[in-house]
Amino acid sequence: MTSFRISLATAADAEQVGVLFDLYRQFYEQPTDPAGATAYLRARLQRGESIVLMAQTTGGELAGFCQLYPTFCSVDMAPICILYDLFVAADYRRQGVAELLLAAAGQQAQAHGAVRMELATAVTNTSAQQLYESTGWVRDDAFFHYAKAIAGSTEALPHG
């Protein structure tokens, strides 16, 4: 069995992580855009706007990544983290990579003073739902979540 190590990505890792980020976006029916994916990640990392964790094999091959966005909860008057992206390369699925990334995300959120993490997944993504629930995440049945495109945006709704 392959062993994996989790590390924080830097802007220098954006090109490598960008390959998987592009695949993640394709999963959500977005057109492939490797250059855009890399540029997006590099900007987030350079500006300190997100936390990107990488799962790598001992040989250095990238197996998966997750991205957290630190933000705040007005009701709790406290920091929280949104786990917006989690993706494991097809060759490494069902080997514990996602669980390792989720655990490391929790450690990062705690280190940033967050009182909780939140995430959303597609209603049809039952395998992700099973993973989240098996690792202690609780599905929110109390609130509906809405999205609205901003005028002039080319974004299609919903995704993520």
Side-chain angles (χ1 to χ4, degrees), residues 72-131:
F72 299 92
C73 175
S74 300
V75 175
D76 292 337
M77 296 185 299
I80 64 171
C81 283
I82 307 297
L83 195 155
Y84 206 91
D85 311 312
L86 174 65
F87 186 79
V88 176
D91 290 347
Y92 297 104
R93 292 184 183 152
R94 307 241 182 260
Q95 295 183 41
V97 175
E99 291 90 338
L100 290 171
L101 286 165
L102 287 172
Q107 292 167 354
Q108 283 299 310
Q110 185 175 27
H112 281 80
V115 296
R116 76 171 171 275
M117 292 189 299
E118 296 180 358
L119 64 79
T121 193
V123 173
T124 57
N125 194 350
T126 56
S127 62
Q129 293 166 32
Q130 290 172 351
L131 168 67

Side-chain angles (χ1 to χ4, degrees), residues 16 40 96 104 112:
Q16 183 183 19
Y40 178 86
H112 281 80

Side-chain angles (χ1 to χ4, degrees), residues 7 9 12 21-22 26 58-59 64-66 75 98 110 113 116-119 128 132 141-142 147 152:
S7 60
F21 185 54
D22 188 53
Q26 290 175 54
T58 52
F65 80 96
C66 70
V75 175
Q110 185 175 27
R116 76 171 171 275
M117 292 189 299
E118 296 180 358
L119 64 79
Y132 299 140
D141 292 325

Side-chain angles (χ1 to χ4, degrees), residues 4-155:
F4 303 94
R5 66 179 175 84
I6 307 297
S7 60
L8 283 169
T10 67
D13 299 308
E15 191 168 334
Q16 183 183 19
V17 180
V19 172
L20 288 188
F21 185 54
D22 188 53
L23 291 171
Y24 166 81
R25 293 183 68 255
Q26 290 175 54
F27 175 82
Y28 284 104
E29 300 177 1
Q30 300 301 301
T32 185
D33 184 359
T38 297
Y40 178 86
L41 286 174
R42 183 174 288 119
R44 300 293 72 72
L45 291 166
Q46 285 175 335
R47 296 175 187 156
E49 296 171 338
S50 73
I51 301 163
V52 177
L53 295 161
M54 307 182 303
Q56 294 176 290
T57 65
T58 52
E61 189 169 335
L62 189 61
F65 80 96
C66 70
Q67 182 165 218
L68 291 165
Y69 293 106
T71 190
F72 299 92
C73 175
S74 300
V75 175
D76 292 337
M77 296 185 299
I80 64 171
C81 283
I82 307 297
L83 195 155
Y84 206 91
D85 311 312
L86 174 65
F87 186 79
V88 176
D91 290 347
Y92 297 104
R93 292 184 183 152
R94 307 241 182 260
Q95 295 183 41
V97 175
E99 291 90 338
L100 290 171
L101 286 165
L102 287 172
Q107 292 167 354
Q108 283 299 310
Q110 185 175 27
H112 281 80
V115 296
R116 76 171 171 275
M117 292 189 299
E118 296 180 358
L119 64 79
T121 193
V123 173
T124 57
N125 194 350
T126 56
S127 62
Q129 293 166 32
Q130 290 172 351
L131 168 67
Y132 299 140
E133 291 173 14
S134 74
T135 56
W137 291 78
V138 178
R139 189 174 72 193
D140 180 355
D141 292 325
F143 293 91
F144 290 115
H145 294 265
Y146 294 88
K148 180 180 180 181
I150 303 301
S153 171
T154 59
E155 290 297 308

